[in-house]
Amino acid sequence: MTDAPALTLKRPRPPPALISLVAMIDVLLILLVFFMVTSTYLNLDMIPAVSQDNQDGPRTQVEKTQPLLVRIGADGAPVIRGQAVTLDALDALVRTRLAAEPTLPVMILPTGVAQTQALVSVMDTATKAGARQVRVIRLKARP
């Protein structure tokens, strides 16, 4: 007998298992929809507002001073006594009024279509000018 090379049978290796991302994407989409449905949207109730219901409460010295009312228009510009002003002019006005009345309350009344960034900019300007009594007013329609 001659030494013949032995035949060996080699099986092809099975391809590695593919990891399917479809199931993970489905779960993530379901979670996304769940969190979108159960979450709340940003509204002005998150910012403390002046309550007009406490008219019978005790009056303090802060309420006796004439407040500075700043209305925020639809374009985001602050309006004081019907005149649109810039944020720099608002800063100067608040500083001037604070020099005369250190407890000056600043009331901010945004329109319903004013962007939140405009409200934050006006609040930030009043606070940087030194105002400590900054309030946001929200008007409600009576039934």
Side-chain angles (χ1 to χ4, degrees), residues 22 27 31 39 41-42 67 79 94 105 110 135 139:
V22 174
V27 170
L31 287 174
S39 67
Y41 296 101
L42 176 68
V79 177
V94 170
R135 301 279 187 251
L139 299 178

Side-chain angles (χ1 to χ4, degrees), residues 79-103:
V79 177
I80 298 175
R81 294 185 181 172
Q83 298 293 322
V85 296
T86 64
L87 291 176
D88 293 332
L90 176 65
D91 181 78
L93 178 64
V94 170
R95 287 181 192 274
T96 304
R97 292 278 307 268
L98 280 172
E101 303 172 35
T103 60

Side-chain angles (χ1 to χ4, degrees), residues 117-141:
Q117 181 59 48
L119 173 63
V120 171
S121 297
V122 170
M123 290 173 65
D124 191 42
T125 301
T127 304
K128 285 183 180 177
R132 298 291 171 240
Q133 303 286 332
V134 178
R135 301 279 187 251
V136 178
I137 303 172
R138 186 178 74 161
L139 299 178
K140 291 184 182 179

Side-chain angles (χ1 to χ4, degrees), residues 71-79 109-111 113-115 118:
R71 183 162 177 90
I72 301 176
D75 58 351
V79 177
L109 177 62
T111 60
V113 293
Q115 292 186 358

